[in-house]
Amino acid sequence: MNFNKVMMFVGLAVAGLTFLGCQSGVSENEIGLRKSTLFSEDAQIAKFDYAGKAAGESELIDRAFENAPPMIPHTTEDMLPITKENNSCTSCHLPEMAAAVNATPMPKSHFYNFRTNKDLKGEMDEMRFNCVICHTTQVNAAPLVVNKFAPDFRQENGSTKSNLFDIVNEGVN
């Protein structure tokens, strides 16, 4: 038998054993977090109420890790869709408005273009208009898996404030 045929036989044997090893008696209903078959969309997926409280009536949610985008602690139901032309978020979260309505002001990083390394002098970066790309509303739901992660904030107010703009180049030569 030549070397190529031996290697092909070994490869097929390994693939076969791997396939058989994956057939460990675990049914498709036990794979994943759904606990139902992956081959059907009829599974009952829990529904949660994302509506929550109205803006200005909710409590601030601590950040999950240092400089994480803050979570949206209020409903966004009547604020969607968010477009460049229609962005309800900026009516409260632009820095000049935030203090008056007790909202979290947008940070300096939203007024700076990191691609061109240019300060936009108070104009919001066009790439920042779709707030829900980074920020998301929260729902009070039980976790599907145990989370043992504990954030380690380097600054005392790190769970509520970001210093990303000041440290974005930290460690860069």
Side-chain angles (χ1 to χ4, degrees):
M1 218 182 225
N2 73 24
F3 181 74
N4 289 337
K5 285 184 180 179
V6 169
M7 291 310 294
M8 186 173 80
F9 176 77
V10 169
L12 287 172
V14 168
L17 290 172
T18 302
F19 175 75
L20 291 173
C22 291
Q23 305 299 313
S24 62
V26 176
S27 79
E28 68 225 23
N29 293 347
E30 299 173 283
I31 299 173
L33 299 174
R34 297 169 46 141
K35 303 303 180 215
S36 65
T37 179
L38 300 176
F39 300 108
S40 171
E41 289 301 321
D42 297 332
Q44 292 297 315
I45 299 172
K47 294 182 181 174
F48 299 103
D49 179 17
Y50 285 87
K53 296 182 178 184
E57 296 177 0
S58 53
E59 291 181 32
L60 188 65
I61 299 168
D62 284 345
R63 294 168 192 248
F65 53 89
E66 185 171 322
N67 290 314
M71 305 313 297
I72 303 171
H74 58 76
T75 182
T76 58
E77 202 168 275
D78 297 330
M79 301 174 186
L80 302 174
I82 297 171
T83 65
K84 281 185 185 180
E85 295 76 29
N86 183 24
N87 186 333
S88 299
C89 305
T90 57
S91 62
C92 291
H93 293 282
L94 282 171
E96 59 270 16
M97 300 298 296
V101 295
N102 197 26
T104 301
M106 293 166 55
K108 290 186 256 183
S109 61
H110 288 47
F111 303 95
Y112 191 88
N113 186 319
F114 287 99
R115 290 185 177 166
T116 62
N117 202 24
K118 182 180 176 188
D119 183 347
L120 301 175
K121 311 244 187 277
E123 291 294 318
M124 188 174 76
D125 185 355
E126 285 186 0
M127 294 181 286
R128 303 286 188 149
F129 81 90
N130 192 356
C131 310
V132 293
I133 287 177
C134 298
H135 308 279
T136 184
T137 54
Q138 289 295 281
V139 64
N140 189 13
L144 295 173
V145 294
V146 175
N147 181 2
K148 295 180 181 178
F149 176 79
D152 184 18
F153 298 106
R154 293 184 288 176
Q155 57 189 37
E156 189 175 322
N157 61 354
S159 66
T160 58
K161 300 284 183 201
S162 172
N163 67 342
L164 180 63
F165 188 79
D166 300 325
I167 65 163
V168 73
N169 289 319
E170 190 176 271
V172 177
N173 294 331

